């Protein structure tokens, strides 16, 4: 998650992927080199692990896509002059929504729809991860210096040109920070998807716990941690290198 | 049974779960506050120490809570121990970061003045620095409390206390008439407890921030 301490960010940018990959290799190496019984072999093998990791990533990507496709346009609409009075209400609602536990949203969505699977997990997780992007889009556009908007209008830009060429580019750093937070929320919450048969690495954690095979549990937990820390690292890279050049 | 009827008939049990949820979150926030402020005080003089403490605690916050809780089962078993460990770890970042920021924001002239009137180092820390940094620390605790609300619900998986148990019993009764009522009661309960505690923080801020600061 974003830290506001630039030096801490730099440490994480360099140390995080190294520590994660070394730690992951060490843990998986120890587990794979030990004697594994039938149940362990059925759960700890390359195809199962890659399959569940892929599912986990796919869930996170789907959630992030929904969050960006809904959060940014909604944020833009709420900063237009005619919709501005509604913005505080939407933010209060979103804040209350954020206070709802992710596991509750998942379970409720599953019980109400009576269905299971990928989208039954992805939709409530997306709802849960929406707030950071929505809030940062609104705040990012609101903090654009009004005189810049005036200047844009003054040189004959249309309202949509001002939005595309002034407001949005200036809001990009904050939107990216919100996106990083959303990404981390998405990857973390995706470990809960197995509760509604949505797959992901939570499956290994739960299987290991239910069958009393801690090697399976630890494999799943360590993979989920590594994935979250790596995705967060990618978010940090994006925050650093995708912002418009003049703002870095 | 409608949701209103359900809540009316289970009012007492839900209240107990809500109280346990709030109490677990509050106690873990307090433990994290003691540890986090101590850590912040220890590192705030050194920019490198501050950066490392912030980097470490923010990396912890990135870890999926279900993975951490799962990983704690082989080590600590089920129940209170893994729940408290996980909740305290997640609550640390906002408190450590805000303690460091708060202490760094104290005007050096004020510290000079305090030393100049003969205060000891401990006196300056407890009677000047921490009092001036308190609003920031309190904000950190408030953020931590909100964060722990959702994580405490997941901790029901490792037999932790609170409203997560209501949600999970809804999940295990899928298909029965009360499943949705249970999940809804647990979810709304967490939101209500979160809003009440958030209000309590506003009040606590009014009462404890010295008048000269605000």
């Amino acid at each position: 998650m974003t830290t506001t301490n630039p030096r801490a960010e730099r440490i994480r940018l360099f140390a995080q992927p190294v520590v994660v990959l070394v730690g992951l290799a060490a843990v998986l190496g120890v587990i794979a080199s030990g004697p594994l019984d039938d149940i362990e072999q059925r759960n700890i093998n390359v195809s199962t692990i890659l399959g569940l990791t892929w599912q986990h990533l796919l869930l996170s990507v789907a959630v992030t896509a929904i969050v960006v496709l809904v959060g940014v346009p909604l944020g833009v609409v709420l900063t237009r002059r005619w919709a501005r009075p509604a913005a505080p209400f939407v933010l209060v609602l979103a804040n209350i929504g954020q206070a709802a536990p992710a596991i509750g949203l998942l379970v409720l969505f599953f019980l109400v729809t009576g269905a299971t699977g990928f989208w039954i997990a992805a939709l409530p997780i997306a709802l849960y991860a929406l707030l950071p992007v929505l809030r940062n889009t609104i705040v990012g556009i609101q903090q654009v210096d009004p005189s810049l908007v005036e200047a844009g209008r003054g040189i004959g830009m249309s309202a949509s040109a001002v939005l595309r060429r002034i407001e949005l580019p200036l809001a990009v750093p904050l939107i990216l920070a919100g996106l990083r937070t959303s990404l981390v929320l998405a990857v973390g919450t995706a470990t809960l998807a197995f509760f509604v048969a949505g797959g992901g690495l939570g499956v290994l954690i739960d299987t290991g716990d239910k069958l009393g095979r801690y090697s399976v549990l630890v494999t799943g937990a360590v993979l989920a941690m590594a994935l979250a820390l790596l995705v967060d690292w990618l978010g940090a890279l994006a925050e650093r290198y995708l912002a418009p050049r003049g703002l870095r | 049974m409608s949701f209103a009827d359900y809540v009316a008939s289970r009012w007492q049990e839900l209240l107990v779960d809500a109280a346990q949820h709030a109490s677990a979150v509050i106690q873990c926030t307090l433990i994290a506050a003691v540890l986090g402020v101590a850590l912040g005080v220890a590192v705030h003089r050194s920019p490198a120490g501050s950066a490392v403490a912030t980097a470490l605690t923010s990396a912890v916050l990135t870890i999926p809570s279900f993975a951490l809780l799962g990983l704690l089962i082989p080590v600590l078993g089920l129940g209170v121990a893994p729940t408290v460990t996980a909740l305290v770890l997640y609550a640390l970042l906002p408190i450590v970061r805000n303690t460091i920021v708060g202490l760094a924001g104290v005007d050096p002239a004020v510290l000079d003045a305090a030393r100049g009137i003969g205060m000891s180092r401990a006196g300056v820390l407890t009677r000047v620095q921490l009092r001036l940094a308190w609003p920031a620390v309190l904000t950190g605790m408030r953020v931590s409390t909100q964060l722990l609300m959702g994580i405490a619900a997941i901790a029901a998986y490792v037999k932790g206390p609170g409203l997560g148990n209501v949600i999970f019993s809804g999940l295990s009764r899928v298909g029965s008439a009360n499943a949705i009522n249970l999940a809804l009661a647990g979810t709304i309960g967490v939101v209500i407890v979160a809003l009440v505690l958030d209000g309590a923080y506003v009040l606590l801020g009014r009462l404890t921030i010295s008048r000269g600061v605000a």
Side-chain angles (χ1 to χ4, degrees):
Chain A
M1 304 239 164
T2 40
T3 38
T4 63
N5 183 332
R7 203 159 163 187
E9 274 298 288
R10 238 174 356 225
I11 293 175
R12 294 188 61 193
L13 210 54
F14 292 111
Q16 195 156 307
V18 179
V19 173
V20 167
L21 290 178
V22 170
L24 183 65
V27 172
L28 292 187
V30 167
I31 289 175
S33 66
L36 298 176
D37 65 22
D38 272 1
I39 298 174
E40 289 173 318
Q41 276 172 10
R42 222 173 302 136
N43 288 290
I44 308 176
N45 57 63
V46 175
S47 74
T48 309
I49 286 179
L50 282 183
L52 290 175
T53 308
W54 178 243
Q55 224 173 10
H56 202 107
L57 269 178
L58 222 54
L59 254 178
S60 314
V61 169
V63 167
T64 309
I66 299 174
V67 163
V68 172
L69 291 177
V70 175
V72 175
L74 189 60
V76 168
V77 165
L78 285 172
T79 53
R80 300 305 92 193
R81 194 182 296 273
W82 47 271
R84 230 170 271 169
F89 294 104
V90 173
L91 278 182
V92 165
L93 255 182
N95 268 320
I96 294 176
Q98 186 82 359
I103 181 71
L105 294 181
L106 263 171
V107 169
L108 266 178
F109 196 67
F110 157 64
L111 291 175
V112 170
T113 57
T116 56
F118 187 84
W119 292 105
I120 300 303
L123 290 176
I125 297 175
L127 189 66
Y128 182 68
L130 181 68
L131 176 67
V133 167
L134 177 64
R135 183 178 46 206
N136 281 22
T137 305
I138 293 177
V139 174
I141 291 179
Q142 278 174 347
Q143 48 119 53
V144 171
D145 187 346
S147 61
L148 292 176
V149 176
E150 291 273 299
R153 297 312 297 266
I155 60 168
M157 282 176 150
S158 65
S160 75
V162 168
L163 175 66
R164 266 184 301 114
R165 295 177 56 189
I166 299 177
E167 289 178 293
L168 274 180
L170 287 171
V172 162
L174 262 180
I175 296 177
L176 285 175
L179 186 61
R180 183 179 169 194
T181 309
S182 288
L183 257 176
V184 171
L185 282 178
V187 178
T189 319
T191 50
L192 302 174
F194 80 92
F195 281 117
V196 298
L201 289 164
V203 172
L204 283 179
I205 302 177
D206 189 51
T207 309
D209 180 49
K210 291 278 147 61
L211 302 178
R213 295 295 186 284
Y214 287 152
S215 55
V216 179
L217 188 161
V218 171
T219 304
V222 169
L223 276 170
M225 286 181 178
L227 201 61
L229 287 164
L230 288 178
V231 164
D232 172 66
W233 178 71
L234 289 178
L237 281 185
E239 250 185 286
R240 219 177 167 81
Y241 295 110
L242 288 186
R245 220 170 300 161
L247 294 175
R248 265 185 245 148
Chain B
M1 200 187 309
S2 78
F3 181 61
D5 291 339
Y6 171 78
V7 171
S9 71
R10 293 288 159 80
W11 184 236
Q12 302 248 305
E13 289 109 306
L14 288 174
L15 217 54
V16 170
D17 279 319
Q20 283 180 346
H21 200 93
S23 136
V25 168
I26 291 170
Q27 292 183 50
C28 291
T29 307
L30 287 177
I31 298 173
V34 172
L35 294 176
V37 170
L39 192 61
V41 167
V43 300
H44 84 278
R45 271 171 217 277
S46 137
S50 302
V52 170
T54 310
L56 266 181
T57 46
S58 66
V60 169
L61 199 57
T62 308
I63 292 173
S65 47
F66 185 67
L68 183 63
L69 285 165
L71 206 54
L72 289 173
I73 297 176
V75 189
L76 298 171
L78 297 171
V80 174
T83 307
V84 170
T85 309
L87 291 187
V88 169
L89 275 175
Y90 283 112
L92 274 180
L93 168 72
I95 297 173
V96 169
R97 182 183 53 196
N98 278 25
T99 305
I100 292 172
V101 171
L103 287 174
V106 176
D107 187 349
V110 175
L111 296 184
D112 270 347
R115 293 235 181 83
I117 61 166
M119 280 173 118
S120 66
R121 235 179 178 190
V124 174
L125 181 67
T126 53
R127 292 177 54 197
V128 180
Q129 285 178 292
L130 282 179
R131 275 189 208 187
L132 288 174
W134 177 240
V137 175
L138 196 65
T139 306
M141 289 171 66
R142 186 174 170 185
V143 173
S144 292
T145 302
Q146 295 304 316
L147 188 72
L148 293 195
M149 278 296 154
I151 301 175
I154 299 170
Y157 183 82
V158 297
K159 307 283 178 280
L163 288 162
N165 291 300
V166 184
I167 298 173
F168 278 115
S169 55
L171 180 63
S172 66
R173 263 168 237 182
V174 52
S176 88
N178 268 332
I180 292 178
N181 284 337
L182 278 160
L184 199 57
T187 306
I188 294 178
V190 173
V191 175
I192 293 174
V193 173
L195 293 177
V196 168
L197 286 187
D198 212 44
Y201 270 104
V202 175
L203 201 65
L204 192 65
R206 293 257 166 85
L207 295 175
T208 58
I209 294 173
S210 29
R211 246 162 294 163
V213 181

